[in-house]
Amino acid sequence: MKTNLVTREGYENLQKELDFLWRKERPETTEKVTWAASLGDRSENADYKYNKQRLREIDRRIRYLTKRLEEIRVVDYDPCQEGKIFFGAWVELVDDEELTLKFRIVGPDEIYGRNDYVSVDAPVARACLKKEVDDEVIVKTPVTTKNWYVNRVWYERPPK
C-alpha cells in the first residue's frame, strides 16, 4: 500500500504534470486524432490508431493524477526535524567497507526518474526513520540484512 505523503516539491511537480497533460498534451493529441479520422478508413490508419491509444493513456494519467492529488498530504519541513531522519530528509549512509549511499526520503509518487530518491515505503527508508548521525541502521530485505551507519542528515529548506 502506498503512503499518502508527498513533499511540497513533489506535489508541485505532480500539479505541473497534470496541467501540462490537460492544457497542452491532450488538446494536441485530440487535434491529431481528429485530423487522422478525417482521412477516411480508420482501420488502416496508423496515425489514428496511435494517437487514439495515446489519448487513452493521457486520459488514464489525468484521472490518476486528479484522484491522487486529492488523496495525498503535503509534508513540509519543520525546524524540529533537524538532526533526525524524517520524511523529506537527505540521508548519507556508510557501511563497514566505506561504501556510501546517499538518498532523499520522499513519497512513492516522487521516485520515478530519480536515482537519488527513495520511497518512504522502502525498507532502507523505514529503517532510517528517527535515526541520528552515528546511529546504526539495520536494513532487512527478503534477500539479506545489511548494517549501515548514519553519516549525515540534512533537509532542503523552503525559500523564504
Side-chain angles (χ1 to χ4, degrees):
M1 187 166 147
K2 285 185 180 179
T3 302
N4 288 331
L5 301 177
V6 69
T7 62
R8 174 74 53 197
E9 175 189 349
Y11 185 83
E12 289 169 0
N13 288 339
L14 292 173
Q15 280 285 95
K16 285 178 193 172
E17 180 185 357
L18 177 61
D19 191 53
F20 172 78
L21 289 172
W22 189 248
R23 296 183 191 277
K24 181 159 176 41
E25 189 80 12
R26 191 175 193 288
E28 287 176 5
T29 306
T30 303
E31 197 173 296
K32 290 175 186 174
V33 168
T34 305
W35 169 80
S38 72
L39 298 176
D41 186 10
R42 295 177 187 172
S43 64
E44 300 288 325
N45 190 331
D47 279 331
Y48 177 80
K49 286 181 179 180
Y50 170 78
N51 287 302
K52 191 72 171 164
Q53 179 182 349
R54 179 69 185 127
L55 189 58
R56 284 192 298 270
E57 291 167 0
I58 292 168
D59 286 344
R60 185 171 27 255
R61 184 69 178 163
I62 287 172
R63 279 191 305 276
Y64 172 79
L65 288 172
T66 302
K67 184 178 177 194
R68 193 71 180 137
L69 286 167
E70 291 172 1
E71 295 172 345
I72 57 179
R73 185 172 56 106
V74 176
V75 177
D76 288 316
Y77 167 77
D78 189 328
C80 71
Q81 295 173 314
E82 204 60 46
K84 285 196 173 193
I85 301 172
F86 291 106
F87 187 83
W90 280 96
V91 180
E92 185 177 271
L93 301 178
V94 66
D95 69 1
D96 293 328
E97 291 136 25
E98 297 299 317
L99 290 173
T100 303
L101 185 62
K102 180 180 142 186
F103 57 88
R104 184 177 186 198
I105 300 174
V106 295
D109 296 295
E110 301 177 73
I111 61 173
Y112 302 104
R114 297 290 306 248
N115 292 335
D116 56 346
Y117 279 15
V118 172
S119 170
V120 69
D121 298 326
V124 68
R126 290 279 182 205
C128 287
L129 292 176
K130 298 182 183 176
K131 302 284 189 201
E132 299 178 41
V133 173
D134 295 330
D135 283 355
E136 182 178 22
V137 176
I138 301 169
V139 181
K140 294 179 183 177
T141 66
V143 179
T144 185
T145 299
K146 180 127 172 115
N147 291 2
W148 296 89
Y149 298 94
V150 179
N151 195 38
R152 193 169 152 221
V153 178
W154 71 99
Y155 291 87
E156 289 180 356
R157 291 179 184 75
K160 292 182 181 182

